[in-house]
Amino acid sequence: MVQIEGISRFYGNFAALKSVSLDIAQGERVVICGPSGSGKSTLIRCINRLEKHNEGRIFLSGVELNDSKASEEVLRTGVGMVFQQFNLFPHLTVLDNLTLGPIRARGMTRKDAETLAMTYLDRVHIADQAEKYPRQLSGGQQQRVAIARSLCMEPKILLFDEPTSALDPEMIREVLDVMVELAESGITMVCVTHEMGFARKVADRMVFMDKGEIVETAPPETFFSAPKSARCKDFLEKILGH
Amino acid sequence: MLRISAFVFMALALGGCSDQWGWYVVDPTTASGYANLKFLLSGLYYTVLLSLTAISISIVVGLLVALPGLSEKKLLRGFNRTYVELVRAVPILVLILWIYYGLPQVSGLTITVFWAGVIALALSDSAFQAEIFRAGIQSVDRGQNEASQSISLNYADTMRFVILPQAIRRILPALGNQLVYMLKMSSLVSVIGMEELTRKANELVVVEYRPLEIYTVLVLEYLVLILIVSAGVRWLERRMNADARR
Ligand SMILES: Nc1ncnc2c1ncn2[C@@H]1O[C@H](COP(=O)(O)OP(=O)(O)OP(=O)(O)O)[C@@H](O)[C@H]1O
Ligand SMILES: [Mg+2]
């Protein structure tokens, strides 16, 4: 589904990503973790070209991602993203937040787009809030709307960048529950998160990053019980509070 | 505050109704005073039309100049800076004179007083509009752009449906200021013979030779006009804020 071949991303002389390679299979659920500044966001943002890699190559459904038309086309409905800060459109109702993409980018009629939007709002258990504005919702509800907004584009792969980090503890659960349901539906997911309970439950593969590199990848069982590198062991100890 | 100062101003002016004042020139109870007043007010049409036409154009031009100013490309940003700096440096009166008397000579086109005025005012204002729009668009969170990109909106749709609606709410007070400014600057177009408020007053002064009274009326005309516009802008702001808070 996604092949990342030795990509690097520089900010001036500073390498946020150093020749990172990663393959993500169709339907696979990958959880990325690592200390702050390790390049997790940069990596997944390269997958939907919010950041452009300076070296290496990325393929999505066999198409190389660059400035070409073909790349733009494969990205159009290929990749969805859920942000830490939700990034809902504050001047639009929940329903309009969801239908904007389908109408403008997928060429759907308003009626079809609204039906689609209601389906996905229902899936994130928030259909009764369709007419409200984002600011009238709790953080957890806003993030679920943001997830529904991504789903309305019916992406082949969904990226999450610390989707629960901006939430109050009591709202993390409702968002994670929705994400678990999504994971079980078979969509390809790449998730940057420090919610290790969630990772254990849904991840097919854990990726640990540090200083712009992928230090370790392993299935969750071995990742949590027997991390190979010292850096990873260190990180897990800190985050799991041992 | 403005209302109070207007009142004080009126009281002062009317209080001076001694011999050296000749309010008869604009006394609506006499036939000639009524006719004079009507003559003065007849300039309102072009003052308003000129200002509204000019600001509509300058908003569009300002936006079109602001967008390249936000580009990652140096060349486009350079275009924005050059435009703003150059246009801002020319005094409006000079621009009016140059466009009315100079432009026809170099372009071979004849240009009416009205359109010369509109072009000069719009051009001059567009530099300020460009700066207002640039600041307004920049004030919208970057995440809004990224979210738009993540649902595959193209640049035009992102601007139209996501960024500009949010930016315009924030720059509305500044746009209101520009409209007030425009109404005042439109008086300069009187020098090329535009029959707006100031020109009408000048013409009447020549006939009646009562500059004090006539220009006092002129001041009041602008004052009332601008108070109305300000109230309108405030009403619009309140409505948009109420919208946003729903
Ligand atoms: N636009 C930028 N300009 C300069 N440096 C940047 C930029 N974006 C990211 N970086 C740097 O790149 C490195 C990786 O950033 P990134 O956001 O990918 O880290 P992260 O692993 O997501 O961290 P966090 O857990 O804090 O979100 C950081 O050191 C950061 O300072
Ligand atoms: Mg990050």
Side-chain angles (χ1 to χ4, degrees):
Chain A
M1 168 111 276
V2 180
Q3 285 92 39
I4 299 172
E5 298 178 353
I7 62 163
S8 301
R9 175 70 171 111
F10 297 98
Y11 295 108
N13 286 325
F14 174 77
L17 291 179
K18 297 174 203 158
S19 192
V20 169
S21 297
L22 183 67
D23 276 11
I24 300 157
Q26 170 105 43
E28 194 178 18
R29 288 149 308 202
V30 177
V31 168
I32 303 176
C33 61
S36 182
S38 56
K40 309 178 296 291
S41 297
T42 309
L43 176 62
I44 66 166
R45 287 159 61 87
C46 281
I47 300 176
N48 69 348
R49 278 185 87 64
L50 284 180
E51 304 282 348
K52 292 174 182 171
H53 51 283
N54 307 106
E55 285 169 8
R57 311 210 288 174
I58 305 179
F59 295 90
L60 175 63
S61 309
V63 178
E64 181 170 1
L65 297 186
N66 48 33
D67 290 325
S68 72
K69 270 268 170 289
S71 158
E72 208 173 278
E73 200 48 45
V74 73
L75 273 174
R76 171 161 14 248
T77 57
V79 188
M81 185 163 211
V82 175
F83 302 87
Q84 184 174 350
Q85 300 296 340
F86 328 139
N87 294 345
L88 291 174
F89 306 132
H91 59 297
L92 300 179
T93 62
V94 165
L95 191 63
D96 289 339
N97 263 274
L98 267 63
T99 54
L100 185 58
I103 292 174
R104 300 302 305 183
R106 298 182 64 199
M108 292 177 74
T109 63
R110 172 165 296 278
K111 196 162 153 288
D112 289 351
E114 281 177 1
T115 311
L116 180 79
M118 291 313 295
T119 313
Y120 284 115
L121 277 181
D122 205 39
R123 249 178 93 177
V124 300
H125 317 301
I126 204 163
D128 50 335
Q129 313 281 354
E131 294 306 328
K132 289 199 176 165
Y133 283 83
R135 78 190 65 203
Q136 296 170 302
L137 305 180
S138 73
Q141 290 174 319
Q142 289 189 44
Q143 192 60 299
R144 285 186 282 145
V145 171
I147 292 171
R149 179 176 66 182
S150 307
L151 290 173
C152 280
M153 297 303 288
E154 309 200 302
K156 299 186 190 70
I157 172 168
L158 199 47
L159 311 172
F160 293 82
D161 192 357
E162 306 202 32
T164 57
S165 301
L167 294 176
D168 293 336
E170 69 267 24
M171 292 169 187
I172 293 178
R173 177 92 270 141
E174 63 187 61
V175 172
L176 289 181
D177 284 347
V178 164
M179 289 169 63
V180 170
E181 287 168 31
L182 268 179
E184 284 162 357
S185 79
I187 190 171
T188 312
M189 270 167 77
V190 180
C191 199
V192 174
T193 183
H194 292 154
E195 293 293 333
M196 290 306 152
F198 167 80
R200 271 206 177 90
K201 202 176 209 165
V202 308
D204 296 312
R205 192 153 44 122
M206 298 295 300
V207 172
F208 173 72
M209 291 186 69
D210 192 20
K211 302 202 174 86
E213 292 170 316
I214 292 182
V215 178
E216 195 161 336
T217 63
E221 311 84 61
T222 46
F223 182 82
F224 288 110
S225 56
K228 282 189 231 87
S229 67
R231 279 193 275 178
C232 187
K233 210 171 287 175
D234 221 40
F235 173 78
L236 284 176
E237 264 166 27
K238 258 187 227 130
I239 202 158
L240 298 172
H242 292 164
Chain B
M1 184 59 216
L2 265 173
R3 263 167 249 246
I4 294 168
S5 37
F7 180 76
V8 170
F9 181 81
M10 288 274 283
L12 270 179
L14 295 173
C17 277
S18 57
D19 295 343
Q20 59 283 45
W21 291 74
W23 284 111
Y24 67 88
V25 280
V26 287
D27 182 355
T29 59
T30 69
S32 67
Y34 180 75
N36 284 346
L37 213 50
K38 231 176 106 178
F39 180 77
L40 286 175
L41 282 170
S42 68
L44 196 61
Y45 174 73
Y46 273 121
T47 290
V48 172
L49 188 67
L50 192 70
S51 304
L52 289 184
T53 313
I55 202 148
S56 310
I57 295 174
S58 80
I59 283 175
V60 174
V61 175
L63 178 59
L64 292 179
V65 173
L67 294 177
L70 295 158
S71 166
E72 287 166 14
K73 301 203 177 73
K74 251 205 168 101
L75 193 75
L76 291 178
R77 283 207 311 275
F79 162 76
N80 168 280
R81 288 324 309 161
T82 313
Y83 184 94
V84 169
E85 295 299 336
L86 283 186
V87 171
R88 211 161 47 174
V90 185
I92 300 182
L93 184 55
V94 175
L95 207 53
I96 292 170
L97 293 171
W98 192 87
I99 288 177
Y100 187 60
Y101 296 109
L103 193 61
Q105 285 196 21
V106 283
S107 67
L109 299 167
T110 51
I111 190 161
T112 64
V113 169
F114 179 78
W115 284 107
V118 165
I119 293 171
L121 290 177
L123 193 62
S124 146
D125 192 54
S126 66
F128 296 94
Q129 297 288 0
E131 291 293 87
I132 291 170
F133 270 103
R134 194 169 61 95
I137 292 170
Q138 267 170 342
S139 79
V140 177
D141 186 67
R142 252 189 61 191
Q144 294 290 305
N145 256 310
E146 298 185 347
S148 308
Q149 215 175 315
S150 81
I151 57 167
S152 301
L153 296 186
N154 60 28
Y155 176 76
D157 283 350
T158 301
M159 277 295 155
R160 179 169 158 210
F161 294 106
V162 179
I163 307 298
L164 284 179
Q166 297 182 59
I168 283 173
R169 276 196 184 118
R170 288 176 208 191
I171 65 179
L172 205 61
L175 291 184
N177 273 341
Q178 286 308 112
L179 180 54
V180 166
Y181 189 69
M182 188 69 98
L183 284 164
K184 295 198 285 187
M185 289 307 126
S186 69
S187 66
L188 291 174
V189 188
S190 64
V191 301
I192 55 171
M194 183 76 238
E195 296 281 335
E196 43 64 75
L197 287 174
T198 303
R199 177 75 179 197
K200 292 282 183 190
N202 280 336
E203 285 175 0
L204 196 62
V205 165
V206 173
V207 179
E208 295 283 355
Y209 211 69
R210 299 272 1 162
L212 176 58
E213 294 75 14
I214 292 168
Y215 287 138
T216 303
V217 171
L218 181 61
V219 168
L220 292 176
E221 282 176 317
Y222 280 113
L223 200 60
V224 169
L225 183 60
I226 281 162
L227 288 177
I228 291 172
V229 167
S230 306
V233 172
R234 270 201 306 280
W235 173 82
L236 201 62
E237 263 173 65
R238 265 202 309 278
R239 236 197 61 177
M240 280 198 156
N241 282 335
D243 262 5
R245 244 183 267 116
R246 256 192 326 212

